[in-house]
């Protein structure tokens, strides 16, 4: 049985003050032998958590749910969702529970959630548990995204439970502690809308406005402004994903955070060689969530949100649909502008010219044809801007045909009062040298399953500085050799 201890986490739980049917009380399961894997002290400091990092036994107790800090009110949130296009009215936190919320050092409300701490009222046939692999994957990738400057949920802790988890084989069980601006999803709105509970939709929308979008309060139609603001953040987020070669892998509406943070790192993966059709997820057989499909799917997901909000947009249904369509029609433009801005910066361009879009897409086409590594190619381009020989870039291409002509156009466009060193330095702030490559994540997981966490820690440490070029981590920057390639990734279930 979980016991109680003195408060060192100052919880202030707003979600559990919402109506009862928004969630179910939850209780962490017993864990035989909790053992701390990693604790994110820098994030804990941001959150104002005063736990002693030296006391790993106690941290393991708390972040496996064995000890409930005073003020924690564990709940499982209710939500629905479209999974691969099919609506499931009853999902909810089946292997996660919200411990509570804290106000961080910057005054922002943040959720602290345990993932894999046992079954809840929403577990359906699942065990509510998490295997070590998916926990480490989420730890590595979510923290890497944060270091890349991309809005994301964060990793506070990972703990081994000492309990087995039965999947295709028996695996070590673990609990992941996730921090998010909130865990409210498009699917949370769908949960109430699907039940015809317009009051629920309104209560949730008001909570979201207060919590994430206070700026829309004064708008003429606050709910339309809310929809628009959520849509803009989603479009901008997906543009950022594309700019680092990220494939979320399972952009179901229950995996879309209303806050605009990247959430639910299941079968996610980063591109090695550039291929816009790339899919890693084993369950995404039709490529619904392929790299280049992500903006279109993002808009589709926002359309599902708009449907939920219709009764709030206008009393007259026809007018409400008109308002929703007006917002939805802007998604593409917002995405395109954000995408172009991100790739302009990657090419080192300042100002805006009509030819820029073509310059970017021609470069991507060359990369695709040349099977060029997405990350290393842009990084090599930084070096060319600084004066390195073209061969540095050509080395990334299996077939560099057409590259020389493109470089002439690029150099012409790059002109303008900056020194070569300045341009390179600027480009290197947006083109990472290091990303969490799939084969390295896999290597970290495999070693950890045999109780060797050293590579997991080395990789996690290195990924805190993705834009640095550190010779000590040169091996981590390299793409996989043929025998190291990961071709399939799996959901964390
Ligand atoms: P996800 O694939 O993480 O987006 O999860 C989709 C849905 O399945 C959510 O409602 C999860 O809570 C639920 N789920 C996933 N894994 C488990 C599990 N091991 N036990 C119970 N529910 C789960
Ligand atoms: Mg999910």
């Amino acid at each position: 049985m979980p016991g109680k201890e003195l408060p060192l986490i100052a919880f202030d739980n707003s979600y559990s003050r919402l109506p009862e049917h928004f969630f179910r009380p939850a209780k962490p399961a017993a864990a035989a032998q909790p053992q701390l894997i990693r604790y994110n002290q820098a994030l804990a400091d941001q959150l104002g958590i005063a736990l002693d990092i030296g006391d790993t036994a106690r941290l393991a107790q708390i972040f496996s749910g064995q000890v409930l800090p005073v003020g924690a009110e564990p709940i499982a949130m209710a939500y629905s969702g479209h999974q691969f296009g099919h609506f499931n009215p009853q999902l909810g936190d089946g292997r996660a529970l919200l411990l509570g919320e804290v106000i961080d050092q910057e005054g922002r409300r943040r959720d602290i959630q345990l993932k894999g701490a046992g079954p809840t009222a929403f577990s359906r046939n699942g065990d509510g548990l998490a295997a070590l692999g998916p926990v480490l994957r989420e730890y590595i990738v979510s923290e890497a995204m944060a270091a890349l400057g991309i809005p994301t949920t964060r990793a506070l802790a990972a703990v081994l439970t000492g309990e087995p988890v039965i999947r295709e084989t028996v695996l070590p069980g673990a609990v992941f502690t996730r921090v998010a601006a909130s865990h409210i999803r498009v699917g949370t709105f769908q949960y109430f809308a699907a039940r015809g509970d317009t009051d629920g939709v309104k209560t949730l929308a008001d909570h979201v406005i207060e919590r994430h979008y206070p700026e829309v309060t004064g708008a003429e139609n606050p709910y339309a402004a809310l929809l628009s603001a959520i849509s803009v953040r989603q479009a901008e987020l997906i543009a950022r994903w594309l700019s680092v070669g990220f494939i979320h892998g399972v952009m179901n509406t229950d995996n879309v955070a209303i806050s605009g943070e990247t959430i639910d790192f299941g079968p996610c993966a980063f591109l090695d060689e550039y291929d816009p059709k790339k899919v890693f997820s084993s369950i995404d057989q039709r490529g619904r969530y392929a790299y280049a499909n992500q903006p279109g799917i993002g808009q589709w997901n926002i359309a599902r949100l708009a449907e939920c909000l219709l009764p709030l947009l206008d009393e007259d249904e026809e007018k409400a649909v008109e308002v929703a369509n007006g917002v939805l029609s802007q998604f593409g433009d917002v995405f395109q502008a954000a995408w172009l801005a991100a790739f302009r910066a990657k090419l080192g361009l300042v100002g805006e010219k009509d030819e820029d879009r073509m310059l970017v897409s021609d470069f991507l086409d060359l990369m695709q044809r040349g099977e060029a590594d997405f990350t290393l190619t842009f990084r090599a381009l930084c070096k060319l801007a600084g004066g390195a020989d073209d061969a540095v870039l050509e080395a990334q291409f299996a077939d560099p045909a057409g590259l020389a002509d493109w470089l002439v156009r690029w150099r012409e466009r790059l002109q303008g009062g900056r020194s070569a060193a300045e341009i390179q330095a600027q480009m290197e702030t947006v083109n990472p040298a290091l990303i969490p490559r799939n084969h390295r994540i896999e290597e970290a997981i495999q070693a950890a399953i045999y109780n060797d966490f050293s590579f997991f820690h080395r990789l996690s440490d290195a990924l805190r500085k993705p834009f640095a070029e550190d010779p000590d981590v040169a091996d981590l920057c390299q793409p996989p050799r043929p025998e190291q390639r990961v071709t399939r990734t799996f959901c964390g279930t």
Side-chain angles (χ1 to χ4, degrees), residues 14 87 133 137 139 187 205 270 273 276 283 341:
S14 67
F87 187 62
R137 175 183 293 275
Y139 200 116
F270 282 77
E273 75 284 356
I283 55 169

Side-chain angles (χ1 to χ4, degrees), residues 126-139:
D127 57 11
L129 302 176
L132 176 60
V135 166
L136 297 185
R137 175 183 293 275
E138 178 153 358
Y139 200 116

